[in-house]
């Protein structure tokens, strides 16, 4: 269940995560066999065998969470055993990227080739993408692989920094180390993401979300100031990048809120993307005397090699953000309404034409609702309008000319028959401008809700990336349940819908 509202413009964290067991200490090694005297290499071979046997025995007695922690320790130890030089780390990174690219290149899932191409691009451009600056960043945050140059966006942190008089909590133990089985790599269309380089069991702790601990009030004023400087207004919409990396971490000493902001400074966890089918969550721990806590990233299911780590950021469940989406959806619909009425009128006119064949009638109707290219100087039709016109043309059933561009991502939120019926009825019973989101007709509401989220700045496109969402079922809005579970019309979304993964 998504977390409760914690305040606008912050990543809202779900705190219901599996408990993570404590790792048992490895068993000690036995004395070396006397045969080692006459057989070179025997002590090392025996040591490896004993270590494997002890590890296998231990894992049979451990929970999935404990196995995950043990795997993390083993991965970290194996990396630490190698000299921490740039050349070694670069070779290790290239090998991991090549394995990931090969994994997705051999996959038959739609979109896999784009994932493989993005990963292979780093390998091909390794001279510029994998340099010593990226390794210095990785070394500072405990990441086993070189961070691509294109992802160098913030200062590295090994521990969160307190500002405005806030003291970073030390309760809950030392800083959670970054898991040795994850890597930061290109992840279109999200930019960069965190990939699993090995299988990760459910309950594995991947690391701690680090950043600058800020007073929520002061942080909000800074965001408004940046908006005024950048565009002359501190209006909430659209979001700016600086406000998309702050995680709510409690009420703080004044009860007005504390956030950990990873935009300017952070670690590997800042690169984790949102998905409509998340495989990890945020777990709070270590609440301090100032009433704010720390955050860990924990897997919620077994994760396969090659998958992206993903969470639910839950912005859809923030009251202010949800209202912004609905307002923008209403305005977008009203902007397109005159053009939709024109399509309805053209469709009605074509329906009254006398033609010799049914196929000719279909062709006439399809041509009537086909959007013409915009005149010089006129703005192009909106993506939502183009999508609805294409869907209605498809519902007519006539064979038309091939499209020059692929169908829009919005196409998955359209029922062609419902849109055609809406246009057919709109001419006889004109549609009035919507006063609020409830005034948007049901046939086109899903499209305009997603379009509204795009304007606000919280679109979700995880369905286009199989590494982020293998099933491809995407709601189009960050944190929104799938449309089959929630139509988005309810006043209290959190109480009336359930999460589907």
């Amino acid at each position: 269940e998504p977390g409760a509202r914690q305040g606008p413009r912050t990543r809202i964290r779900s705190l219901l995560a599996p408990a993570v067991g404590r790792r048992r200490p490895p068993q000690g090694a036995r004395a070396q066999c006397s045969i080692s005297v006459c057989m070179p290499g025997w002590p090392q071979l025996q040591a490896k065998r004993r270590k494997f046997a002890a590890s296998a025995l231990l894992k049979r007695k451990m929970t999935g969470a404990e196995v995950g922690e043990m795997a993390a320790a083993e991965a970290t130890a194996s990396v630490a055993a190698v000299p921490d030089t740039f050349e070694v780390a670069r070779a290790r990174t290239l090998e991991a990227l090549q394995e990931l690219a090969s994994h997705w290149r051999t996959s038959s899932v739609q979109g896999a080739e784009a994932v493989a191409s993005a990963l292979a691009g780093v390998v091909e451009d390794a001279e510029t993408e994998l340099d010593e600056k990226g390794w210095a960043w990785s070394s500072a945050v405990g990441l086993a692989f070189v961070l691509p140059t294109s992802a160098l966006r913030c200062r590295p942190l090994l521990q969160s920094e307190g500002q405005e008089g806030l003291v970073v909590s030390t309760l809950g133990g030392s800083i959670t180390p970054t898991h040795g089985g994850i890597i930061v790599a290109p992840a279109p269309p999200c930019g960069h993401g965190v990939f699993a380089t090995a299988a990760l069991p459910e309950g594995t702790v991947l690391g701690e979300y680090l950043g600058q601990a800020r007073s929520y009030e002061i942080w909000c004023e800074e965001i408004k100031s940046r908006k005024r400087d950048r565009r002359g207004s501190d209006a909430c919409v659209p979001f700016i990048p600086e406000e998309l990396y702050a995680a709510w971490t409690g009420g703080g000493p004044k009860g007005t809120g504390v956030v950990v902001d990873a935009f300017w400074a952070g670690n590997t966890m800042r690169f984790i993307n949102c998905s409509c089918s998340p495989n990890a969550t945020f777990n709070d721990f270590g609440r301090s005397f100032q009433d704010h806590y720390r955050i860990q990233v924990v897997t919620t299911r077994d994760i396969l090699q090659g998958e992206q780590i993903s969470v639910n950021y839950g912005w859809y469940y923030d009251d202010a953000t949800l209202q912004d989406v609905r307002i923008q959806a209403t305005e977008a619909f009203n902007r397109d309404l005159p053009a939709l009425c024109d399509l309805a009128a053209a469709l009605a006119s074509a329906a009254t034409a006398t033609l010799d064949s049914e196929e000719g009638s279909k062709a006439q109707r399809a041509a009537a609702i086909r959007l013409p290219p915009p005149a010089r100087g006129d703005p192009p039709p909106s993506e939502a309008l183009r999508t609805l016109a294409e869907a209605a043309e498809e519902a007519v059933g006539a064979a038309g000319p091939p499209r020059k561009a692929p169908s829009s991502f919005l196409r998955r939120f359209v029922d062609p028959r419902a849109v055609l019926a809406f246009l057919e009825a709109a001419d006889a019973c004109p549609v009035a401008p919507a006063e609020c989101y409830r005034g948007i007709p049901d046939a086109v509401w899903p499209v305009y809700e997603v379009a509204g989220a795009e304007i606000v700045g919280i679109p979700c496109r995880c369905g286009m990336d199989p590494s982020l969402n293998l099933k491809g079922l995407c709601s189009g809005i960050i944190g929104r349940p799938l449309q089959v579970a929630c139509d988005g019309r309810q006043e209290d979304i959190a109480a009336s819908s359930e999460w589907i993964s």
Side-chain angles (χ1 to χ4, degrees), residues 480-495:
R480 191 198 195 286
L482 298 178
Q483 280 74 5
V484 296
C486 172
D487 63 12
R489 298 284 201 174
Q490 303 91 332
E491 289 296 334
D492 189 351
I493 292 292

Side-chain angles (χ1 to χ4, degrees), residues 315-336:
W315 277 313
Y316 191 74
Y317 287 88
D318 174 72
D319 293 338
T321 303
L322 180 58
Q323 293 308 314
D324 287 340
V325 169
R326 289 171 168 175
I327 290 171
Q328 295 304 318
T330 304
E331 293 180 358
F333 169 75
N334 288 336
R335 285 194 296 269
D336 287 348

Side-chain angles (χ1 to χ4, degrees), residues 161-178:
E161 299 174 342
Q163 298 189 7
E164 291 99 35
L166 293 171
V167 178
V168 176
S169 174
T170 57
L171 299 178
S174 58
I175 298 300
T176 306
T178 300

